[in-house]
Amino acid sequence: MALSNDRIEISPAQEASVPVEPTTLVIFGGSGDLAKRRLIPALYNLLLDGLMPSNYVVLGLGRRPMSDEEFRATLRDGVVKHSRQALIDETWNAFANHLFYMAGENDDPTTYVRLKARAEELERTFQLPGNRIFYLSIPPSSFTPVCEGLSSSGVAIKDNGHAPYARIIVEKPVGRDLTSAQAINTVTGRVFDESQIFRIDHYLGKETVQNLMVVRFANSIFEPIWNHKYIDHVQITVSEAEGVGSRSSYYEEAGALRDMVQNHMLQLLCLVAMEPPYSLDPDVVRNAKMEVLRCLRPIIGKDVEKFTVRAQYTEGTAHGEPMPGYRREKGVDPTSTTETYVAVKCFVENWRWSGVPFYLRTGKALPLRASEIAVQFKDIPQILFNANGQSPQAPNVLTLRIQPEEGLSLRIVSRVPGTRAQTHPVEMNFKYGEVFGRPSPEAYERLLLDVMVGDASRFMRRDAVEASWAWITQILEGWQQSGQRWLPEYQAGTWGPVEADRLIQNDGRSWRTL
């Protein structure tokens, strides 16, 4: 059952409410996969949608020697393969004239002397005002020499309240525990003011994630019942169908808790649980999310075993293809205790959410790639249409689908046509692609545009990064103290270990079927 059959056509240009100033974007790691697959296709789509600034330069910096022409050819291939909109030769040729490349080592001071000279040369050629954005698509171990090089060479300066501006985008992971996160924040904070630092989490740029605030605060039917009196529990699922593949070296150091829960899933939880902000000012919104992190009940001591489950996938079949067990993946320690699956039961201890459990689960080698937030409301009283205790009525559930099909659905109970009084749950379904007539912008499109206009509301502030790591680090320390040498296992292509089922079944609930 659809919410509406009306199709709404919206021009992309309607989205641009703030003028985008001309700028120079420097991508550290410019020859890498992220630039080719995500960043340049995102900029190209912004250009097609009329959202790029009137003038700009993109300068990639990488270790591999490459000419400007070779750089452009590589990026063109990335746009052909990964852009949501088809490549148009005329538009691409105009776009490519703004793409440049230079080779250099991140830890070589001379790199930044050459970078300053190249940036100034390009800014003179294109008559740019000197606004600069630095995208750190590099390992966190390189953050210190890059920030120090930008500062010592004068390529970037701390915000003084006057034009031109300098901004830095930091890719996750921002650390691997509280101590390392604090170290990274200290390094970036020495060179840049907090208002100049944009810690990117691509999940926060997804359409459905952005719509969550609108659903809550633009519809009077939800906010009055968005509390412990009416909501039974919340499930947040991020399911990945692939194994670790070529990311084994990174994954061995990270694991599912660091890779997905610390950033993506806690941010989704914050959007579900936050109090209504009094405005859409970036710091007002981020203050509201920060309060949720402050209210998270610590999981320490015996609670680590009680409220968390970790596991590894074993040999199995996924999408008809055989998949080796995690410990047999290339680059993985055969005795590894790195988790590829994690489930957590947590509580937000404030007046609104008192006693309401939030169940989080994420894993590799699961049956499908999907992400969703499901808010399950409490059962109706056991009278009238719910009087049969042997066959209870299905509860109402509001589901926000983040991927693969962005949209939302509301499950309600309806009467089955006929002479008998029968009921059946039905779904009121909304899909972005069907209603608005065009694909949603990719997350990186929205986030890069936010940086260019200076809107930090969809980026994590330093205190939020450190608060989330403080909560996660307590779990990591609990796992380490347990001394487990073997983790529970689940077969590749299944929905996780039995221990995760018990985590929620012990409360009389069950995981949703995606």
Side-chain angles (χ1 to χ4, degrees):
M1 183 168 69
L3 289 174
S4 171
N5 292 322
D6 296 335
R7 189 164 177 164
I8 304 169
E9 296 289 347
I10 294 180
S11 167
Q14 291 178 244
E15 298 179 1
S17 57
V18 180
V20 186
E21 296 180 23
T23 191
T24 300
L25 171 62
V26 180
I27 302 176
F28 286 83
S31 59
D33 198 50
L34 184 68
K36 179 179 178 179
R37 292 170 58 91
R38 300 295 184 192
L39 303 184
I40 298 303
L43 294 172
Y44 174 74
N45 281 310
L46 288 174
L47 180 65
L48 287 179
D49 289 347
L51 299 174
M52 282 292 282
S54 58
N55 205 358
Y56 59 92
V57 160
V58 179
L59 176 58
L61 191 150
R63 299 176 63 184
R64 180 155 52 101
M66 209 178 345
S67 67
D68 291 340
E69 290 71 24
E70 290 171 326
F71 181 57
R72 293 165 182 170
T74 300
L75 298 180
R76 187 183 192 280
D77 182 56
V79 169
V80 169
K81 292 180 180 177
H82 304 293
S83 170
R84 67 178 172 87
Q85 301 185 76
L87 185 137
I88 302 170
D89 285 332
E90 184 179 354
T91 305
W92 169 258
N93 291 337
F95 179 59
N97 289 334
H98 295 257
L99 306 179
F100 300 89
Y101 183 81
M102 64 171 280
E105 297 288 341
N106 294 331
D107 56 359
D108 182 357
T110 64
T111 295
Y112 303 92
V113 176
R114 292 188 297 111
L115 175 60
K116 182 180 182 183
R118 188 76 188 278
E120 290 175 346
E121 175 194 359
L122 291 170
E123 286 165 351
R124 284 194 299 271
T125 301
F126 285 84
Q127 298 183 328
L128 296 173
N131 295 324
R132 293 172 186 168
I133 298 171
F134 305 94
Y135 199 117
L136 302 193
S137 177
I138 53 177
S141 57
S142 297
F143 287 0
T144 297
V146 167
C147 288
E148 290 176 349
L150 292 174
S151 177
S152 62
S153 65
V155 179
I157 59 173
K158 214 164 193 175
D159 182 32
N160 56 11
H162 303 290
Y165 67 71
R167 295 167 185 158
I168 188 168
I169 306 174
V170 181
E171 264 285 349
K172 81 172 189 75
V174 183
R176 65 186 312 274
D177 55 21
L178 176 59
T179 301
S180 58
Q182 289 172 328
I184 289 171
N185 286 332
T186 298
V187 167
T188 53
R190 281 202 299 263
V191 179
F192 297 92
D193 183 78
E194 180 63 27
S195 64
Q196 297 173 275
I197 303 171
F198 293 74
R199 300 172 187 86
I200 196 166
D201 181 347
H202 72 274
Y203 257 63
L204 295 185
K206 290 182 178 292
E207 195 72 62
T208 310
V209 175
Q210 293 308 305
N211 194 42
L212 180 52
M213 282 184 63
V214 177
V215 168
R216 286 192 57 188
F217 306 132
N219 296 284
S220 62
I221 62 173
F222 290 123
E223 191 56 26
I225 59 173
W226 207 261
N227 55 60
H228 69 276
K229 294 181 180 179
Y230 299 97
I231 292 176
D232 179 77
H233 73 278
V234 178
Q235 292 186 30
I236 302 177
T237 300
V238 178
S239 160
E240 298 183 279
E242 69 279 0
V244 293
S246 60
R247 298 180 71 221
S248 59
S249 58
Y250 161 75
Y251 210 83
E252 267 289 85
E253 294 296 320
L257 189 71
R258 289 184 176 98
D259 187 46
M260 297 299 295
V261 178
Q262 181 272 330
N263 40 73
H264 302 332
M265 301 188 77
L266 285 187
Q267 285 296 297
L268 296 180
L269 185 152
C270 286
L271 287 167
V272 173
M274 65 190 284
E275 294 299 316
Y278 66 81
S279 80
L280 294 177
D281 176 83
D283 272 331
V284 174
V285 174
R286 296 195 292 183
N287 285 343
K289 292 194 285 188
M290 183 62 199
E291 282 303 309
V292 177
L293 294 173
R294 289 194 180 104
C295 292
L296 273 179
R297 180 195 296 177
I299 300 179
I300 56 177
K302 294 182 179 179
D303 283 348
V304 173
E305 182 178 351
K306 183 178 179 182
F307 293 132
T308 72
V309 171
R310 54 178 173 151
Q312 291 176 340
Y313 64 83
T314 60
E315 182 179 2
T317 301
H319 305 287
E321 298 291 331
M323 183 179 291
Y326 176 70
R327 293 189 178 197
R328 297 189 174 221
E329 295 274 17
K330 184 178 179 181
V332 173
D333 182 351
T335 62
S336 173
T337 56
T338 298
E339 76 286 355
T340 63
Y341 178 99
V342 63
V344 179
K345 174 184 174 182
C346 57
F347 293 90
V348 178
E349 295 193 312
N350 60 19
W351 191 282
R352 179 186 293 267
W353 295 107
S354 177
V356 177
F358 287 74
Y359 298 97
L360 317 181
R361 62 170 171 166
T362 183
K364 293 281 191 183
L366 299 181
L368 54 85
R369 179 176 178 266
S371 300
E372 71 165 35
I373 301 167
V375 179
Q376 181 166 315
F377 294 91
K378 290 188 175 181
D379 294 334
I380 62 173
Q382 291 188 331
I383 57 174
L384 297 176
F385 300 109
N386 199 29
N388 185 354
Q390 300 302 313
S391 181
Q393 199 67 263
N396 301 127
V397 179
L398 176 66
T399 304
L400 292 103
R401 296 184 303 276
I402 300 168
Q403 60 185 22
E405 285 190 330
E406 292 183 313
L408 65 86
S409 64
L410 177 63
R411 185 171 73 191
I412 63 173
V413 175
S414 179
R415 187 180 189 279
V416 178
T419 58
R420 300 177 59 191
Q422 290 182 299
T423 60
H424 189 75
V426 295
E427 300 282 340
M428 300 179 68
N429 219 352
F430 155 69
K431 297 179 182 178
Y432 276 91
E434 292 182 359
V435 174
F436 294 107
R438 64 185 178 93
S440 298
E442 297 289 342
Y444 279 101
E445 296 173 37
R446 181 176 287 106
L447 295 173
L448 285 171
L449 183 61
D450 283 346
V451 177
M452 286 189 279
V453 300
D455 182 354
S457 58
R458 285 182 268 262
F459 297 82
M460 293 183 70
R461 207 168 54 192
R462 175 174 183 162
D463 55 356
V465 170
E466 295 180 5
S468 62
W469 269 123
W471 190 76
I472 290 291
T473 299
Q474 292 173 331
I475 299 175
L476 292 168
E477 290 173 346
W479 286 350
Q480 187 175 21
Q481 291 165 9
S482 72
Q484 277 185 274
R485 298 181 60 186
W486 297 93
L487 301 186
E489 296 177 332
Y490 62 99
Q491 189 176 21
T494 65
W495 277 110
V498 294
E499 289 81 0
D501 293 333
R502 293 180 190 137
L503 176 71
I504 192 169
Q505 287 171 356
N506 288 341
D507 298 333
R509 303 181 177 100
S510 61
W511 294 112
R512 284 174 47 80
T513 301
L514 273 65

